Amino acid sequence: MAVIQCQFYSEAINLSMGIHVIIPQNAAIQASGSAKLPVLYLLHGLSADHTDWIRHSFIERYAENKGIVVVMPSVGRSYYTDMKYGSPYFTFLSEELPEIVRALFPVSERREDTFVAGMSMGGYGALKLALSFPERYAAAASLSGGLDIVSRMNGANNFQPHELIAIFGDVAELKGSTNDLFYLLDKLKAYDGDKPMLYQCCGTEDFLYADNQTFRKYALDLGIEVTYDEGPGEHDWDYWDPQIQRVLDWLPIG
C-alpha cells in the first residue's frame, strides 16, 4: 500500500493544492506496464479536508483489498461550487484534477473505471459531479449527503450568512441552477447516454435524513434508479466507515 501526499499548483485556483492518493501496491505491480487501475474520487465534508478519510476510516485497507486508487482532494467550505465570490472549486475538481491525477498516477481514463463518492457535503459533491457529467463517471455514491441544498440554504444550515453569499451569491437563484441536484436529476432523465449508477445512504438519526428522503423520492418519481440503504446511525464516522465498505462492494470494479 502506498499513501502519497501530493502538492501541486492549481491553475484553476491559483494556489498550491494538496491531495492524498492511495495506490494499492499489489494491484499497481500487477498492472505495471500499459494497464491502468480504477479510480475513486473520495470527497470530504464541510468542516474537513483531504486528510479526513485517512484519519477517520480504514479506507487504506479497503482500497488495497479492492485494488482501486483513491484520490482525496480538498475544497475548503466551497460546497463543491464555482464560488460566486471566491475560487472555482467545481472547475478544479471536474476539469483540472482528473488531468493531473491521470498524468501522475497509474489510473484509467475510461468511464467504466471512474467513480466518485463522498460524505456530507462530499455526498452532494459526488452526485453533482456524476449528474453534471454522466459521460465521465460510471457510478457515484452519497453517504449522508446534504442533497437538498435549496432547503438547506433557506433553512437550518451550518454556514455563516457571508459564506452563503460568497458561495452562491443570491440564494434565491439557487433553485433550478447547476448547483441544484434536483435540476440535475431532471437533466439526467433527459440524457440519452449511459447513466451513472447511483448509491445513497443515510442514518435514520442523521439531521440530513429528511433531505435524503426528499432526494430519493424525487429520483424515483423520475424513474431514475438509486440503490438506497438506511439504518440506525448519526452524522459521524461510526456510520461512514462501515458504509464506505458497502460502497466499494457495490462499485462495478472489474
Side-chain angles (χ1 to χ4, degrees), residues 150-163:
V150 175
S151 293
R152 289 205 69 212
M153 294 305 98
N154 288 314
N157 55 64
N158 304 106
F159 292 97
Q160 298 295 323
H162 70 276
E163 286 186 297

Side-chain angles (χ1 to χ4, degrees), residues 15-66:
L15 190 69
S16 176
M17 301 292 287
I19 60 174
H20 266 114
V21 181
I22 298 171
I23 301 179
Q25 191 166 320
N26 292 335
I29 292 172
Q30 294 169 7
S32 60
S34 60
K36 301 291 185 180
L37 297 177
V39 58
L40 170 67
Y41 292 89
L42 189 56
L43 310 183
H44 67 78
L46 179 63
S47 299
D49 61 17
H50 60 290
T51 68
D52 222 36
W53 281 99
I54 291 284
R55 291 188 295 117
H56 296 295
S57 77
F58 291 103
I59 188 62
E60 293 179 56
R61 186 173 68 197
Y62 308 149
E64 179 68 52
N65 291 339
K66 290 295 182 180

Side-chain angles (χ1 to χ4, degrees), residues 13-203:
I13 306 296
N14 292 318
L15 190 69
S16 176
M17 301 292 287
I19 60 174
H20 266 114
V21 181
I22 298 171
I23 301 179
Q25 191 166 320
N26 292 335
I29 292 172
Q30 294 169 7
S32 60
S34 60
K36 301 291 185 180
L37 297 177
V39 58
L40 170 67
Y41 292 89
L42 189 56
L43 310 183
H44 67 78
L46 179 63
S47 299
D49 61 17
H50 60 290
T51 68
D52 222 36
W53 281 99
I54 291 284
R55 291 188 295 117
H56 296 295
S57 77
F58 291 103
I59 188 62
E60 293 179 56
R61 186 173 68 197
Y62 308 149
E64 179 68 52
N65 291 339
K66 290 295 182 180
I68 188 171
V69 174
V70 179
V71 177
M72 293 156 283
S74 187
V75 301
R77 294 171 62 89
S78 69
Y79 230 89
Y80 296 93
T81 65
D82 285 347
M83 300 173 67
K84 183 73 172 182
Y85 303 106
S87 297
Y89 282 101
F90 189 67
T91 296
F92 163 74
L93 187 69
S94 62
E95 305 296 338
E96 185 178 29
L97 180 63
E99 289 187 3
I100 290 172
V101 167
R102 290 166 184 161
L104 297 178
F105 304 105
V107 303
S108 172
E109 297 185 8
R110 302 193 314 155
R111 175 186 184 272
E112 307 95 286
D113 298 325
T114 306
F115 317 110
V116 60
M119 42 73 73
S120 194
M121 181 183 78
Y124 165 88
L127 293 185
K128 182 180 176 181
L129 273 174
L131 297 178
S132 298
F133 303 107
E135 73 281 6
R136 300 183 190 178
Y137 298 92
S142 167
L143 290 69
S144 310
L147 307 182
D148 190 356
I149 188 66
V150 175
S151 293
R152 289 205 69 212
M153 294 305 98
N154 288 314
N157 55 64
N158 304 106
F159 292 97
Q160 298 295 323
H162 70 276
E163 286 186 297
L164 293 179
I165 295 171
I167 295 170
F168 300 111
D170 186 352
V171 178
E173 298 176 0
L174 183 55
K175 185 177 177 62
S177 73
T178 55
N179 290 319
D180 180 1
L181 295 187
F182 296 85
Y183 167 77
L184 294 178
L185 281 174
D186 289 336
K187 288 188 64 179
L188 184 69
K189 173 67 175 179
Y191 179 65
D192 290 333
D194 292 334
K195 294 178 173 59
M197 297 168 53
L198 301 178
Y199 182 100
Q200 180 192 0
C201 65
C202 191

